[in-house]
Amino acid sequence: MHLHAIIPAGGAGTRLWPLSTAKTPKFLLDLLGSGSSMLQDTVRRLAPISQGITVVTGQGHVKAVSEQLISEGGLGADVSVDIVAEPTPRDSMAAIGLATAIIHQRHGDCIVGSFAADHVIGDEALFHECVLTACEVASRGFLTTIGIEPTHAATGFGYIQGSDPLDIPFGAVRNVAGDPVDMPAYHVANFKEKPDETLAASYLAQGGYWWNAGMFIVRSGVLLNALKQHHPDLATGLEKIAASWDTQARDEVMGKHWPELTKIAIDHALAEPMATAGLVATVAAPKSLAWDDVGDYEALIRLRTGSGNEREDGSDAKVFLQDSAGATVLANGLSSVAVLGIPDALVAYHNGQLLVTTRSHAQDVKDAGSYFA
Amino acid sequence: MHLHAIIPAGGAGTRLWPLSTAKTPKFLLDLLGSGSSMLQDTVRRLAPISQGITVVTGQGHVKAVSEQLISEGGLGADVSVDIVAEPTPRDSMAAIGLATAIIHQRHGDCIVGSFAADHVIGDEALFHECVLTACEVASRGFLTTIGIEPTHAATGFGYIQGSDPLDIPFGAVRNVAGDPVDMPAYHVANFKEKPDETLAASYLAQGGYWWNAGMFIVRSGVLLNALKQHHPDLATGLEKIAASWDTQARDEVMGKHWPELTKIAIDHALAEPMATAGLVATVAAPKSLAWDDVGDYEALIRLRTGSGNEREDGSDAKVFLQDSAGATVLANGLSSVAVLGIPDALVAYHNGQLLVTTRSHAQDVKDAGSYFA
C-alpha cells in the first residue's frame, strides 16, 4: 500500500517569539540555517516515500506555502503537493481527518501518515525506514506512531508506553534502496502527558517508554471508521466536506460545515481511545534518528548551525560580546549588537520585535509570545 | 560687559552607544524626552543672558546644527547664533580659542563663556544667576568656572578645590529680573582629575570641593593673552585664522593653519596652569542647580522622563517585562520588546544597533561604543 503524507501546518506557537509569530510561523522559516524552511525540509524528507503530499494550512498561509512548495519549481522533489486551506483553525483532528477523507475518496483505502511541518530529523534514511516499517504495521490495522528512544529525562515531550512486541517477518519491510529493514515495533499500552522530571526519570529507568514524535501512520479506512465510532458528528461533517471537495460546491459546503467541526487534537480524539482498545502500535526509532521538535530556544540553540545574524545587505550583523559567555544572538536584520555582562544571554530580533532573556528563562518566552500574540 | 556664549559641540562619546554615535552625537538628540535636542536646550538656556552664541562643531554636523538652531525659526530665542565649522577635531582649546579670537576681533574685549552642548540643568533661573556671578568674577580678570556642590562621592566628574572666598559686593550682580544675586565665589587652588571612590569620599568629608561642570567664563583678552603665554604656537595659528575670518581668505587660511593647531583640552592648556598662578576662580553653585553631564546610562536613566520607546508611527513600543525589576528599555523605532529574567536590564536600540546589558555594566558600554566606532 502507498503512503499519502499529510502535513498539518498550523499553530504559531509562542515559545519561539519573536522569530516565530502568527504571521511568520515556524514552519515557514529557515530557523536552523539550512537554507530552506522547515516545511520545505519536511516535504523534501517525505517525498521519496510518499505517493503524494497534502499540506493543511490556514487560509492566511496558503500563498506563502504555495510559493515555498509549488511556485518555485516544486522544490525539485518528485512528488505532487496538494494544499488544503482551513478558513479557521479547528485543531489537528479536523485537519488530518479532512485530508484523510479527501485522499480516501480519491484513492480508496490507503495508508495516510501525518507529520509535523516544523520538526527536524538528523538521519533521513533512518526516518524512511521508520516510516516504511510504520506503513507495514499500519497495513495490519493499527494506528501507528513513531516512538523515539529517549536520550534524557525530557519534560517537554509526551511519552508512549509500549507493551508486547509485534512480529514483523524479515523482508516484509524494505527501505528505499530495496534492502530489508529490521526495526522493532510494539503494541502501545498508553500515552503519557508531558511528565515532571521525577516521572520522566522513572520512565527512563524502567525502559519501554519512548518520546511521542507526534507522527501517526494509519490506513485511511481505519482512521475514518474510528472517527465515526468516537466522534460521529465530526466524521459526518468531514464526510460531507470531502464529498463536495472535487465539485463546485466545495467552498459552500466547507463554509457551512467547517466552523461546526469539533475542535480536538488527534491524540485525544483517536490515539488515546484506540490505545485503550489495543489498536495502537509504535515503531521504536533509535536515538540516532536525531529527531527534535525545535519546541523552544534551548532546542534551537542546540540545533542551529550558522549565526542567524544576517543583515539586510546579506552580510552578518557585527556582534560584540563581553562578560557574556554562552550568549546567543539571533539578530537577523540588525547591523550591530553588543551584549555586556549577561552570561547565557539570549537575544532574538525579528522585524521590529525584540526578545532579551537568558537561556535559563527560555521556557518563559511563551509568556512574551502570548502577550504579543 | 556682555557675555558671548561659546558652545563646542563635538565628541561622539561612546558611553551612550548606540543612542549616541559619531553620526548622531548626544547634543543632536532628544535623549531626555524634553521634546528638543540637548543643543537646542543649551542654546535656549543661554539666550536670556547672552549677547550672541557661537557653536563650534564638526563640518559633518553643520547642516544638522543649522537646521536645529537657525532654519526652523531660530528656536524662538532672541539671540543670534553663529556656527564655526571645524574641518577636523582639534580638541576644546582650539575650538574655544578660535571662537574667542573671532568674537574678540568683532566685539573687542568682552566676556566669553564656554558651555557644553550636551549637559542638563534643572534650575534655569539659578543657572543664570551662577553665570552672571561668574561674569562679574571674570570681569576682574579670573578664568572663572562653575563648581557644583557635590551630592555624593561621584567618581565620574573632575573636582575643583577652592581656597579663599572672593568678596563680591552686594548689588554687583543682578539677575535677569534685575534683583541682586548673592552667590559665593572662591579662588581655585587646584583641579582634580576624576577620583576613585575613597578619594571622592574624602573630598566630600573635607568640604571645599566642587564638581567641575566644565564651564569656563573669562574675558576674551585674558584668555588670548594666557594662550600666548602658555601655547604661543596655538595662539599664533588662531590669530591668523581669526584675522582672515571675515574676509574671502577664510577657507584658505583655515585649511592651512587649522590642521597644524595643537590638540589639547582647555583644562590642561589654560585652567590648570592659570590655577597654579592664582588666576582661576569658581562660582559655587548649590546642588539645587541640578546639573548633570548625562555622561552614561546611569545618568540617563536617572534623568529621563517618558519611555523613550517611540515607534515609527509615533506610538510607543509595547514592552513586556517579567522577572526584570528595574529594567530600562529605550527602544525608539522598535514595535515590541520583551525582557525576561534580567533584573536591572538595560536595552537600548537605535537605527539597527542594539545594546543589551545591565545597569551595573553601564560603564562597560564605552567598550562596545569603541568597538563599533
Side-chain angles (χ1 to χ4, degrees):
Chain A
M1 295 176 87
H2 289 299
L3 172 67
H4 291 263
I6 298 168
I7 305 176
T14 51
R15 290 185 294 163
L16 286 170
W17 183 89
L19 304 186
S20 170
T21 65
K23 276 190 187 167
T24 56
K26 206 172 120 195
F27 60 83
L28 289 176
L29 304 175
D30 175 17
L31 277 188
L32 298 175
S34 74
S36 47
S37 76
M38 303 195 78
L39 175 62
Q40 288 176 316
D41 288 343
T42 301
V43 168
R44 267 206 209 91
R45 188 187 304 130
L46 285 164
I49 53 169
S50 302
Q51 182 80 356
I53 292 179
T54 303
V55 177
V56 188
T57 195
Q59 203 90 62
H61 297 308
V62 167
K63 186 163 170 284
V65 167
S66 165
E67 279 169 7
Q68 288 198 357
L69 300 182
I70 299 172
S71 310
E72 294 160 10
L75 295 176
D78 187 21
V79 67
S80 73
V81 175
D82 246 26
I83 300 176
V84 170
E86 302 171 295
T88 52
R90 302 304 297 170
D91 216 327
S92 60
M93 190 66 254
I96 296 166
L98 175 57
T100 301
I102 294 168
I103 292 163
H104 188 80
Q105 178 178 280
R106 288 181 182 169
H107 303 279
D109 197 20
C110 60
I111 308 260
V112 293
S114 165
F115 303 90
D118 52 10
H119 291 181
V120 67
I121 282 165
D123 187 336
E124 216 153 278
L126 186 56
F127 171 69
H128 292 159
E129 297 187 346
C130 291
V131 176
L132 291 168
T133 304
C135 288
E136 165 63 22
V137 175
S139 72
R140 303 185 192 179
F142 289 99
L143 175 66
T144 312
T145 59
I146 310 277
I148 314 285
E149 184 188 359
T151 58
H152 61 283
T155 58
F157 306 134
Y159 284 70
I160 294 167
Q161 184 184 11
S163 59
D164 307 331
L166 270 84
D167 180 37
I168 304 175
F170 183 78
V173 181
R174 293 184 175 269
N175 67 15
V176 176
D179 300 321
V181 170
D182 187 17
M183 185 85 64
Y186 300 85
H187 292 271
V188 167
N190 252 311
F191 288 95
K192 303 285 189 184
E193 300 278 338
K194 292 176 187 179
D196 62 20
E197 277 190 43
T198 316
L199 193 56
S202 83
Y203 291 166
L204 245 74
Q206 289 171 59
Y209 287 85
W210 291 272
W211 289 339
N212 182 357
M215 308 181 206
F216 296 97
I217 296 97
V218 61
R219 276 175 44 191
S220 55
V222 169
L223 184 145
L224 296 172
N225 279 332
L227 201 58
K228 252 179 226 160
Q229 186 192 334
H230 296 288
H231 295 278
D233 289 352
L234 186 47
T236 308
L238 290 175
E239 232 169 65
K240 285 181 188 160
I241 296 170
S244 78
W245 198 255
D246 292 323
T247 73
Q248 295 197 332
R250 179 200 291 188
D251 289 348
E252 186 197 334
V253 176
M254 184 79 167
K256 184 173 169 200
H257 293 289
W258 182 263
E260 296 165 354
L261 298 180
T262 312
K263 264 182 121 160
I264 187 170
I266 187 172
D267 308 70
H268 305 308
L270 288 188
E272 287 163 12
M274 288 176 77
T276 306
L279 298 172
V280 180
T282 193
V283 173
K287 56 184 82 173
S288 61
L289 180 64
W291 165 87
D292 204 296
D293 71 349
V294 201
D296 57 23
Y297 276 104
E298 267 305 321
L300 187 58
I301 292 167
R302 200 170 56 236
L303 294 165
R304 267 202 73 92
T305 57
S307 76
N309 292 320
E310 195 165 295
R311 296 159 71 171
E312 278 171 24
D313 63 5
S315 68
D316 264 11
K318 280 197 232 168
V319 176
F320 177 78
L321 301 179
Q322 188 167 281
D323 301 329
S324 303
T328 300
V329 176
L330 301 169
N332 228 312
L334 294 183
S335 58
S336 315
V337 180
V339 182
L340 307 174
I342 307 182
D344 284 326
L346 167 58
V347 177
Y349 171 86
H350 182 69
N351 199 22
Q353 301 186 291
L354 175 67
L355 168 70
V356 175
T357 187
T358 62
R359 286 179 74 159
S360 61
H361 287 80
Q363 295 303 323
D364 300 339
V365 172
K366 63 181 183 311
D367 299 335
S370 304
Y371 180 80
F372 291 117
Chain B
M1 296 179 83
H2 289 300
L3 172 67
H4 291 263
I6 299 168
I7 304 175
T14 50
R15 290 186 294 162
L16 286 171
W17 184 90
L19 304 186
S20 170
T21 64
K23 277 191 187 168
T24 57
K26 204 173 123 194
F27 61 83
L28 290 176
L29 304 176
D30 175 17
L31 277 188
L32 298 175
S34 74
S36 47
S37 77
M38 303 195 78
L39 176 62
Q40 288 177 315
D41 288 343
T42 301
V43 168
R44 267 207 209 91
R45 188 188 304 129
L46 285 164
I49 53 169
S50 303
Q51 183 79 357
I53 292 178
T54 304
V55 177
V56 188
T57 195
Q59 203 88 65
H61 297 308
V62 168
K63 186 163 171 283
V65 167
S66 165
E67 279 169 5
Q68 288 197 357
L69 299 182
I70 301 172
S71 310
E72 293 160 10
L75 295 177
D78 186 20
V79 68
S80 74
V81 176
D82 245 26
I83 300 175
V84 170
E86 302 173 296
T88 52
R90 304 302 299 170
D91 216 326
S92 61
M93 190 66 255
I96 296 166
L98 176 57
T100 301
I102 293 168
I103 291 163
H104 188 81
Q105 177 178 280
R106 288 182 183 167
H107 303 279
D109 197 18
C110 60
I111 309 262
V112 294
S114 165
F115 303 89
D118 52 9
H119 290 180
V120 67
I121 281 164
D123 187 335
E124 217 153 277
L126 187 55
F127 172 70
H128 292 159
E129 297 188 345
C130 290
V131 176
L132 291 167
T133 304
C135 288
E136 165 63 22
V137 176
S139 72
R140 305 185 192 181
F142 289 99
L143 176 67
T144 312
T145 57
I146 310 276
I148 314 286
E149 183 187 1
T151 57
H152 61 281
T155 57
F157 306 135
Y159 283 69
I160 294 168
Q161 185 185 10
S163 59
D164 306 332
L166 271 83
D167 179 37
I168 305 174
F170 183 78
V173 181
R174 292 185 177 268
N175 67 15
V176 176
D179 300 323
V181 169
D182 188 16
M183 185 87 61
Y186 299 85
H187 292 271
V188 166
N190 251 312
F191 288 93
K192 303 288 190 185
E193 302 276 340
K194 292 176 187 177
D196 62 20
E197 277 189 43
T198 315
L199 193 55
S202 83
Y203 290 166
L204 244 74
Q206 288 173 60
Y209 286 85
W210 292 272
W211 290 338
N212 183 358
M215 309 180 205
F216 296 98
I217 296 96
V218 61
R219 276 176 42 193
S220 56
V222 170
L223 184 146
L224 295 171
N225 280 332
L227 201 57
K228 254 180 225 157
Q229 186 191 335
H230 296 289
H231 295 277
D233 290 353
L234 185 47
T236 308
L238 290 175
E239 234 168 62
K240 287 182 186 159
I241 296 171
S244 78
W245 198 256
D246 292 324
T247 74
Q248 293 196 334
R250 178 201 291 189
D251 290 349
E252 187 197 332
V253 177
M254 184 78 167
K256 185 175 169 200
H257 294 289
W258 182 262
E260 296 165 354
L261 299 180
T262 312
K263 266 181 119 160
I264 186 169
I266 187 171
D267 308 71
H268 305 309
L270 288 189
E272 287 164 11
M274 288 178 77
T276 306
L279 299 171
V280 179
T282 193
V283 173
K287 57 185 83 172
S288 61
L289 180 63
W291 164 87
D292 204 297
D293 72 349
V294 201
D296 58 22
Y297 276 104
E298 266 306 320
L300 187 58
I301 292 167
R302 200 170 57 236
L303 294 164
R304 267 202 75 91
T305 56
S307 77
N309 293 319
E310 195 165 292
R311 296 159 71 171
E312 278 170 25
D313 62 5
S315 68
D316 265 11
K318 280 195 231 169
V319 176
F320 177 78
L321 301 178
Q322 188 167 283
D323 300 331
S324 303
T328 300
V329 176
L330 301 169
N332 228 312
L334 294 182
S335 58
S336 315
V337 180
V339 182
L340 307 174
I342 307 182
D344 283 326
L346 167 57
V347 177
Y349 170 88
H350 183 68
N351 199 21
Q353 301 186 293
L354 176 67
L355 168 69
V356 175
T357 185
T358 62
R359 286 179 73 158
S360 62
H361 287 81
Q363 294 305 323
D364 300 339
V365 172
K366 63 181 182 311
D367 300 334
S370 305
Y371 180 81
F372 291 116

